[in-house]
Amino acid sequence: MPPDVALMWRLREAPRRGPKPSLSLDDIVRAAIEVADADNDLGAVSMARVAERLGNSTMALYRHVKSKDDLLVLMSDAAIERPDPMPEGVDWRTGLTFWADNVLAAIRKHRWYAKIPISGPPAGPNNLAWFDAALGLLNDTGLPEEAKVGVVMGLITYVQGEVRMAFDLAAGYDQNPAAFQQFGATLRQVADPRQYPAVARLVDAGIFDEVGNFEDESEQDFDFGLQLYLDGVAAFIDRVCQGK
Amino acid sequence: MPPDVALMWRLREAPRRGPKPSLSLDDIVRAAIEVADADNDLGAVSMARVAERLGNSTMALYRHVKSKDDLLVLMSDAAIERPDPMPEGVDWRTGLTFWADNVLAAIRKHRWYAKIPISGPPAGPNNLAWFDAALGLLNDTGLPEEAKVGVVMGLITYVQGEVRMAFDLAAGYDQNPAAFQQFGATLRQVADPRQYPAVARLVDAGIFDEVGNFEDESEQDFDFGLQLYLDGVAAFIDRVCQGK
DNA sequence: CTATTTAGCGTATCTGATACGCAGTAAGGA
DNA sequence: TCCTTACTGCGTATCAGATACGCTAAATAG
């Protein structure tokens, strides 16, 4: 078993000798999440700051985690709260839409989550619960297990893309809204229409000049693409299960 | 215009006085990319290492870029080579599949690219060229411009998800293949079937015990999800354009 | 009771980003 | 032509962060 997975599931046996610890792994992970949340920035999480938050010395943390990377792995599971139960009595499509919206909302509470490297397949208790929930929503489709995994992995890929893009872009927008509002004008200045004909058409059509509410548009964009994907899933389910 | 966009398009006027620079922005960016490529790790890029590669002192770089963050932005455009011309005489679907495969291949040449924060809308010459190419492939669909953007943004989101997941997972696999090969066994040990019923079914079905070639499976998974998305796009195009 | 294990932490080392200011180079302008 | 100004490169310094090392004290096993 990989050491980080054992850590996530708290499989390490408590030692029998030596002083009673004043610190626990849970304390450390919780403090690290609080530090990240305080600044909404994964970069704010240093061993020194986590230790400070706990009222301990930096080096004490290393008795409990091997490295900062291990701490990040632990955070990648602890930060994403376990899903509430999925809605019952709804079709797979409504369920997956609910799932996608809710996993995004859970991640949105800790935007820095998107910055944690993915170290392996979903293996922590909370990430696994989300994976399980999505799979469960496909139970009534009659898809074989392998196909369910394919559908859910595609969905997760799409959500991860949103996580990567939307949160970075939201941070960029917070920092410099003007850059977004003037994107059309910027493109007019730099993008030669002969080299970028399709972009030029957009610019001419004023697509980038319509400045709505950044968050609303981000959500609409996400949902538009999500529904396209789910349309494809619907056709796939038809082909596999009704075609029999 | 945002300063980083001006930098990407080399809009800064060369100074008229003072010594001739021995360094150029292009030199610095190229060296930074070489450093990242040498270790296949964005973290390897320090100002000191870039300077060393150029045979200059670290602080000389700051005459040309304001900060390391600016250098990363420049790298985010320079590292992704401009697209070759898209195939002609093919339908939009074949084109978008080609596009997706090729942008991934371009990014795959510099895996560390996925680690660069996205600072704003696609605004550098090369990223914009990819955006333009994707839009151009939808020209014959008859979709209005705004809908084309929606379709392409969804596709980019999916690709970015793949970038985030597949590359991280590939790195994880390189480091510790056993963790992946034993994923099923690990789940059997940690995941209580009462709490993770859908996952338990997968485990029982041996889905995670079938260990094929990691890269091949990754590509197949990507393509499976991509085709689902494109199925949804096809239905959307039908609704919008043939329904008229 | 002694030996062993373990927790906390002070000190030290190394790496990396960047501020500051000096010296030298090159052009503008009188 | 000469002086002033702008600019490049870089040495030094400062600060922050990750973590190795080893000491002291606490707690348990035998």
Side-chain angles (χ1 to χ4, degrees):
Chain A
M1 167 150 9
D4 55 355
V5 176
L7 263 192
M8 282 195 272
W9 292 88
R10 306 296 190 271
L11 295 189
R12 182 182 167 233
E13 237 184 56
R16 315 257 230 117
R17 300 181 181 200
K20 295 289 186 190
S22 68
L23 276 182
S24 72
L25 201 47
D26 285 336
D27 292 334
I28 294 171
V29 176
R30 190 182 310 115
I33 290 171
E34 286 167 6
V35 169
D37 282 345
D39 281 26
N40 198 11
D41 178 21
L42 192 67
V45 180
S46 67
M47 301 306 264
R49 285 202 53 183
V50 176
E52 185 191 357
R53 191 157 190 110
L54 293 163
N56 290 73
S57 109
T58 307
M59 298 311 297
L61 304 191
Y62 289 91
R63 295 293 185 187
H64 301 263
V65 293
K66 189 163 114 287
S67 66
K68 186 181 166 185
D69 278 347
D70 276 9
L71 179 56
L72 292 182
V73 171
L74 291 164
M75 287 168 76
S76 76
D77 196 69
I80 180 165
E81 294 155 18
R82 215 169 178 85
D84 293 332
M86 294 291 117
E88 307 216 349
V90 296
D91 62 295
W92 66 265
R93 182 171 189 141
T94 305
L96 286 187
T97 302
F98 176 85
W99 183 92
D101 291 337
N102 277 270
V103 75
L104 261 191
I107 299 174
R108 202 169 268 132
K109 289 183 193 168
H110 309 288
R111 282 216 196 129
W112 46 265
Y113 176 87
K115 292 293 188 309
I116 305 183
I118 296 166
S119 56
N126 293 346
N127 278 289
L128 207 50
W130 282 99
F131 187 52
D132 187 86
L135 286 166
L137 291 166
L138 294 173
N139 277 346
D140 294 344
T141 58
L143 285 179
E145 299 299 328
E146 210 160 15
K148 287 191 210 168
V149 173
V151 167
V152 169
M153 288 314 300
L155 179 59
I156 288 174
T157 302
Y158 183 71
V159 168
Q160 289 286 358
E162 180 69 11
V163 163
R164 167 152 163 81
M165 288 181 53
F167 293 175
D168 273 14
L169 289 178
Y173 185 82
D174 286 347
Q175 247 186 344
N176 188 9
F180 288 72
Q181 288 151 3
Q182 284 151 22
F183 182 52
T186 299
L187 290 186
R188 275 191 199 95
Q189 284 183 63
V190 297
D192 177 355
R194 282 162 307 178
Q195 299 211 28
Y196 305 94
V199 167
R201 272 193 300 274
L202 294 192
V203 171
D204 288 347
I207 299 284
F208 298 120
D209 297 328
E210 306 164 1
V211 185
N213 175 284
F214 180 80
E215 275 194 25
D216 287 347
E217 286 189 4
S218 215
E219 280 180 32
Q220 282 159 23
D221 289 347
F222 172 73
D223 194 66
F224 177 73
L226 175 64
Q227 297 307 321
L228 291 184
Y229 181 75
L230 295 179
D231 286 344
V233 173
F236 176 65
I237 290 170
D238 276 357
R239 279 196 313 276
V240 171
C241 302
Q242 332 287 33
K244 290 185 183 174
Chain B
M1 167 149 9
D4 55 353
V5 177
L7 262 193
M8 281 193 272
W9 292 86
R10 305 298 190 270
L11 295 189
R12 181 182 167 238
E13 238 183 56
R16 314 259 227 116
R17 301 182 180 198
K20 295 290 186 190
S22 68
L23 277 182
S24 72
L25 201 47
D26 286 336
D27 291 334
I28 295 172
V29 176
R30 191 182 309 114
I33 290 172
E34 286 168 5
V35 169
D37 282 344
D39 281 25
N40 198 11
D41 177 21
L42 191 67
V45 179
S46 67
M47 301 305 267
R49 285 200 56 183
V50 175
E52 185 191 357
R53 192 158 188 110
L54 292 163
N56 290 76
S57 109
T58 307
M59 300 309 298
L61 303 192
Y62 289 92
R63 295 295 185 186
H64 301 263
V65 292
K66 191 164 112 281
S67 66
K68 187 182 168 186
D69 279 346
D70 277 8
L71 178 56
L72 292 182
V73 170
L74 292 164
M75 286 166 78
S76 75
D77 196 69
I80 182 167
E81 294 155 16
R82 213 167 178 88
D84 293 332
M86 293 292 117
E88 307 215 348
V90 297
D91 63 295
W92 65 266
R93 182 171 189 139
T94 306
L96 286 187
T97 302
F98 177 85
W99 184 93
D101 291 338
N102 278 268
V103 76
L104 261 191
I107 299 174
R108 201 168 269 132
K109 289 182 191 169
H110 310 287
R111 283 216 198 130
W112 46 265
Y113 174 87
K115 292 292 190 300
I116 305 183
I118 296 166
S119 57
N126 293 346
N127 277 290
L128 207 50
W130 283 99
F131 187 51
D132 187 85
L135 287 166
L137 291 166
L138 293 173
N139 277 348
D140 293 345
T141 58
L143 285 179
E145 299 299 327
E146 210 160 17
K148 286 192 210 166
V149 174
V151 167
V152 169
M153 288 313 301
L155 179 60
I156 288 173
T157 302
Y158 183 71
V159 168
Q160 289 285 1
E162 181 68 12
V163 164
R164 168 152 161 80
M165 289 180 57
F167 293 176
D168 272 12
L169 290 178
Y173 186 82
D174 285 349
Q175 248 186 347
N176 187 9
F180 288 73
Q181 287 151 7
Q182 283 151 24
F183 183 52
T186 300
L187 289 187
R188 274 191 200 95
Q189 284 183 61
V190 297
D192 178 356
R194 282 164 306 180
Q195 299 212 25
Y196 304 93
V199 168
R201 273 194 298 275
L202 293 191
V203 171
D204 288 346
I207 299 283
F208 298 120
D209 298 327
E210 306 164 2
V211 186
N213 176 284
F214 180 78
E215 274 193 26
D216 287 348
E217 285 188 6
S218 216
E219 280 179 29
Q220 282 161 24
D221 289 347
F222 172 72
D223 194 65
F224 178 74
L226 174 64
Q227 296 308 319
L228 292 183
Y229 181 75
L230 295 180
D231 286 346
V233 173
F236 176 66
I237 290 171
D238 275 0
R239 276 195 314 273
V240 171
C241 302
Q242 332 286 34
K244 291 184 183 174

